[in-house]
Amino acid sequence: FDAMNMEAIFIECSKDLRKQRHIYIECIPIPSDISSDVPIYFNKAILEVGKDFTRDNKRLIKTSKTKNLRQSIPDNFPYFFVQFGYDFTGFVHIIENESKFDYNFGREILGGLLQLPPEIYLRKRYSNYQQQQQQVKNFLKIWEKYDWTQILD
């Protein structure tokens, strides 16, 4: 993303663990010039969402290289996690009321920061086979100079 003047934001949501084990992970590129605002937006949003449900738990848990996600919350707890770039800094929020916590929480925060209309960041995009093939070709063009597997041949 550096070559495109973008930063990677990773969002992860794990909930409904009793019904099925499912974790939703996404990497969203954002312009580098606004990347310093992302922690501020998520800090505010997590504290606001947490005040309605949290009784005894900390609403916002900070992560770092020395205290990562797995060291920050107990196993099998539902959570929302955001990581800012590649240095392992981020925030974790333990989800207490899973029915009221939307999987799109992280997308909504980033969509608001980027001032995008909801139909852009919430819309599920379905592609036919030809569109998927073209998307793969486009990605491979970008990935080509970083593809370490080429040296294996």
Side-chain angles (χ1 to χ4, degrees):
F1 291 123
D2 287 341
M4 296 182 288
N5 202 26
M6 304 287 265
E7 296 283 334
I9 303 299
F10 299 92
I11 54 176
E12 182 174 332
C13 188
S14 173
K15 66 179 212 164
D16 300 324
L17 296 173
R18 288 185 183 89
K19 295 178 190 173
Q20 62 184 6
R21 293 197 173 271
H22 188 76
I23 296 175
Y24 175 80
I25 302 172
E26 194 164 2
C27 175
I28 300 174
I30 62 160
S32 295
D33 61 335
I34 62 167
S35 64
S36 61
D37 294 340
V38 175
I40 298 165
Y41 275 73
F42 274 98
N43 187 359
K44 183 178 186 306
I46 291 171
L47 290 176
E48 285 179 4
V49 76
K51 71 181 174 187
D52 296 333
F53 311 122
T54 304
R55 292 179 277 293
D56 299 323
N57 294 330
K58 286 178 69 173
R59 289 180 263 179
L60 179 82
I61 302 166
K62 294 182 180 181
T63 62
S64 65
K65 266 188 177 176
T66 57
K67 186 178 181 192
N68 63 32
L69 172 64
R70 294 289 155 235
Q71 296 167 329
S72 300
I73 59 170
D75 289 343
N76 300 317
F77 269 57
Y79 64 87
F80 171 81
F81 173 59
V82 58
Q83 180 177 308
F84 314 115
Y86 307 109
D87 66 355
F88 299 100
T89 61
F91 300 139
V92 180
H93 170 68
I94 294 175
I95 302 170
E96 290 189 6
N97 191 334
E98 294 178 65
S99 65
K100 292 187 178 182
F101 195 90
D102 189 1
Y103 274 110
N104 288 317
F105 177 74
R107 287 175 153 232
E108 290 174 358
I109 305 308
L110 291 174
L113 173 65
L114 297 170
Q115 299 178 350
L116 298 172
E119 59 269 13
I120 298 293
Y121 61 86
L122 293 180
R123 180 176 58 150
K124 292 186 182 198
R125 298 182 183 164
Y126 297 99
S127 305
N128 64 34
Y129 184 72
Q130 287 81 17
Q131 290 170 322
Q132 289 177 8
Q133 281 185 316
Q134 187 59 48
Q135 290 169 342
V136 168
K137 286 178 186 176
N138 293 342
F139 173 77
L140 289 174
K141 284 179 189 173
I142 295 169
W143 174 248
E144 188 174 28
K145 67 179 179 180
Y146 306 104
D147 186 2
W148 57 271
T149 62
Q150 292 180 20
I151 63 172
L152 300 177
D153 293 334

